């Protein structure tokens, strides 16, 4: 392992000043970064431990918005009523991720900054991977490459990786924003624009975060419709596994059983949460009992899907996941709430 310096930042200014030195990496819970150091995925010159910064709070603001500090632990947020009761999609995305031990260490900021699980990117011997070594090629897209876990949307000949964060998929339907600070001041990045696909930026660029910036918080608007929400995760085994495909949904109903409006995002199909905006439009006025109409509406958003040799199965899997998540969300209806029967 390459040698690096270690320092602990005790205030935001010193963390942000340290970030201006090239070769600096922030250390939060360490559940990803320590593996990267051992595997040579990251070779920083300087590690700056940010765990003493005052970024652990989870507060509700005057308009009902939930502000989650970047250093809040996944397990802390998953247990809060503002997640479990008011935004079940958020709690479920956290509780279905990793393991209890990891969730007790892992932070919200670190979760969004995790890297793809593409096996070539994570390989312990050097393999062609433009994300890890720019210009080296893409082993997944070469003849005989394994594309079973790869993207349907937003991929290029340079890279077809997906992003593994479950939380990011939930944040995409909650219209959340990622709050960041850097040398240029503070800015808000919509959660749907935080991760970058290879079609939007060179493969080695994972997120919209600049090298001198850090995440300070995530803000989730207060919206009653978030109570009718669901995160559905389909994976190869029932626990401690990344999603093959996931679906996050929020729902507003009219007359109890007809969709007034829906928000849907998929995980496991692109290098960012993939919002099904065309399907959301088509679903307005659709009865939840009408399976054919639900499926047809969701399928509209797959018109531009580009399956690879190994991942065609994801098209139907993702569509079914979206339909099931819509129905599951509707089952959360309370009598008299959200247009439902009293
Ligand atoms: C075995 C295993 C299984 C997992 N399963 C899942 C899963 O099913 N679903 C899922 O969503 N995730 C999963 N994860 C990922 C896990 O959620 C992340 O490892 C964790 O959230 C990272 O947080 P951390 O605080 O430990 O980050 P660290 O490891 O400390 O840092 C990771 C990266 O984030 C950067 N970073 C950290 N905080 C900030 C900040 N505030 N601003 C800017 N950059 C920052 C670091 O510099 C580093 O580059 C799994 C991880 C492991 C190891
Ligand atoms: S898909 Fe992306 S991450 Fe995977 S090998 Fe190709 S370039 Fe690397």
């Amino acid at each position: 392992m390459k040698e690096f310096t270690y320092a602990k930042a005790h205030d935001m200014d010193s963390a942000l000043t340290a970030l201006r030195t090239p070769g600096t990496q922030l250390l939060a819970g360490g559940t990803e970064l320590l593996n990267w150091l051992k595997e040579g995925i990251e070779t920083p010159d300087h590690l700056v431990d940010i765990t003493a910064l005052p970024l652990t709070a989870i507060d509700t603001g005057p308009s009902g918005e939930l502000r989650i500090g970047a250093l809040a632990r996944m397990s802390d947020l998953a247990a809060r009523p503002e997640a479990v009761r008011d935004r079940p999609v958020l709690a479920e995305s956290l509780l279905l991720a990793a393991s209890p031990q990891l969730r007790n260490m892992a932070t919200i900021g670190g979760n969004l900054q995790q890297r793809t699980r593409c096996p070539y990117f994570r390989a312990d011997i050097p393999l062609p991977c433009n994300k890890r070594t720019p210009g080296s090629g893409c082993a997944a897209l070469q003849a005989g490459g394994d594309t079973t876990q790869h993207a349907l949307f937003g991929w290029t000949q340079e890279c077809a990786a997906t992003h593994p964060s479950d939380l990011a998929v939930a944040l995409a339907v909650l219209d959340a924003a990622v709050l960041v600070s850097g040398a240029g001041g503070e800015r808000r990045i919509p959660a749907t624009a935080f991760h970058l696909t290879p079609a939007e930026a060179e493969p080695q660029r994972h997120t919209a975060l600049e090298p001198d910036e850090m995440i300070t918080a995530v803000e989730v608007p207060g919206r009653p419709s978030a109570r009718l929400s669901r995160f559905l995760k389909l994976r190869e085994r029932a626990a401690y596994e990344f999603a093959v495909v996931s679906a996050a949904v929020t729902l507003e109903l009219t007359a109890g059983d007809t969709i007034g409006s829906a928000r849907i995002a998929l995980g496991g199909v692109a290098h960012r949460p993939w919002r099904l905006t065309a399907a959301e439009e088509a679903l307005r006025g659709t009865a939840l009992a009408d399976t054919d109409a639900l499926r047809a509406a969701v399928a509209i958003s797959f018109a531009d899907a580009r399956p690879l040799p190994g991942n065609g199965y994801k098209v139907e899997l993702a569509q079914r996941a979206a339909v099931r998540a819509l129905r599951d969300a509707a089952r959360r209806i309370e009598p008299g709430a959200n247009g439902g029967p009293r």
Side-chain angles (χ1 to χ4, degrees), residues 25-26 28-33 98 107 111 113-114 166 215 233:
Q25 274 271 339
L26 302 180
T31 60
E32 265 280 59
L33 186 54
T107 63
N111 181 284
Q113 284 282 84
Q114 66 179 293
D166 294 318
I215 303 169
K233 181 169 176 176

Side-chain angles (χ1 to χ4, degrees), residues 230-252:
R230 169 79 162 130
F231 182 79
L232 182 69
K233 181 169 176 176
L234 304 180
R235 44 192 168 172
E236 287 181 349
R237 59 181 180 193
Y240 195 32
E241 187 55 279
F242 290 91
V244 174
V245 158
S246 65
V249 157
T250 66
L251 201 54
E252 282 175 74

Side-chain angles (χ1 to χ4, degrees), residues 19 25-36 42 50 55 70-71 73-74 93 96-99 102 105-115 117 164-168 209 213-216 233 235 240-243:
L19 267 183
Q25 274 271 339
L26 302 180
L27 174 67
T31 60
E32 265 280 59
L33 186 54
L34 297 190
N35 289 332
W36 298 344
E42 285 288 347
I50 57 171
L55 297 175
L71 289 170
R73 306 284 170 186
M74 288 170 70
S93 74
L96 293 172
S99 64
L102 282 162
M105 287 297 293
T107 63
I108 296 303
N111 181 284
L112 297 178
Q113 284 282 84
Q114 66 179 293
R115 304 280 160 79
R117 306 308 290 196
S165 167
D166 294 318
L167 170 67
L209 204 67
E213 287 180 322
M214 63 179 284
I215 303 169
T216 53
K233 181 169 176 176
R235 44 192 168 172
Y240 195 32
E241 187 55 279
F242 290 91

Side-chain angles (χ1 to χ4, degrees), residues 17-258:
T17 303
L19 267 183
R20 286 183 211 157
T21 306
T24 301
Q25 274 271 339
L26 302 180
L27 174 67
T31 60
E32 265 280 59
L33 186 54
L34 297 190
N35 289 332
W36 298 344
L37 297 178
K38 287 184 244 171
E39 291 161 8
I41 293 173
E42 285 288 347
T43 52
D45 299 313
H46 312 288
L47 270 198
V48 175
D49 182 337
I50 57 171
T51 51
L53 299 184
L55 297 175
T56 55
I58 302 171
D59 298 315
T60 298
S63 307
E65 72 278 14
L66 184 63
R67 194 183 161 103
I68 308 155
L71 289 170
R73 306 284 170 186
M74 288 170 70
S75 51
D76 290 339
L77 178 58
R80 292 284 292 244
E82 298 93 325
V84 178
R85 180 195 59 208
D86 300 339
R87 302 163 179 91
V89 66
L90 189 55
E92 288 168 351
S93 74
L94 294 162
L95 289 172
L96 293 172
S99 64
Q101 293 87 345
L102 282 162
R103 295 195 295 270
N104 285 340
M105 287 297 293
T107 63
I108 296 303
N111 181 284
L112 297 178
Q113 284 282 84
Q114 66 179 293
R115 304 280 160 79
T116 182
R117 306 308 290 196
C118 173
Y120 304 106
F121 178 83
R122 299 261 169 177
D124 49 14
I125 51 165
L127 291 172
C129 176
N130 288 321
K131 222 180 212 327
R132 185 157 161 185
T133 312
S136 63
C138 172
L141 295 176
Q142 288 173 1
D146 178 359
T147 53
T148 48
Q149 300 298 334
H150 290 73
L152 298 174
F153 299 100
W155 60 270
T156 66
Q157 288 304 327
E158 272 70 55
C159 178
T162 57
H163 196 273
S165 167
D166 294 318
L167 170 67
V169 185
L171 295 178
V173 286
L174 293 169
D175 291 334
V178 183
L179 278 51
V180 308
S181 281
E186 296 181 359
R187 64 185 181 116
R188 301 166 69 88
I189 306 172
T192 46
F194 185 72
H195 296 98
L196 300 174
T197 67
E200 295 164 328
E202 58 276 19
Q204 67 271 24
R205 185 106 196 261
H206 316 284
T207 70
L209 204 67
E210 298 295 339
D212 65 3
E213 287 180 322
M214 63 179 284
I215 303 169
T216 53
V218 170
E219 201 172 278
V220 185
R223 236 185 17 217
S225 64
R227 284 198 174 203
L228 281 199
S229 65
R230 169 79 162 130
F231 182 79
L232 182 69
K233 181 169 176 176
L234 304 180
R235 44 192 168 172
E236 287 181 349
R237 59 181 180 193
Y240 195 32
E241 187 55 279
F242 290 91
V244 174
V245 158
S246 65
V249 157
T250 66
L251 201 54
E252 282 175 74
L253 296 178
T254 55
D257 59 359
T258 301

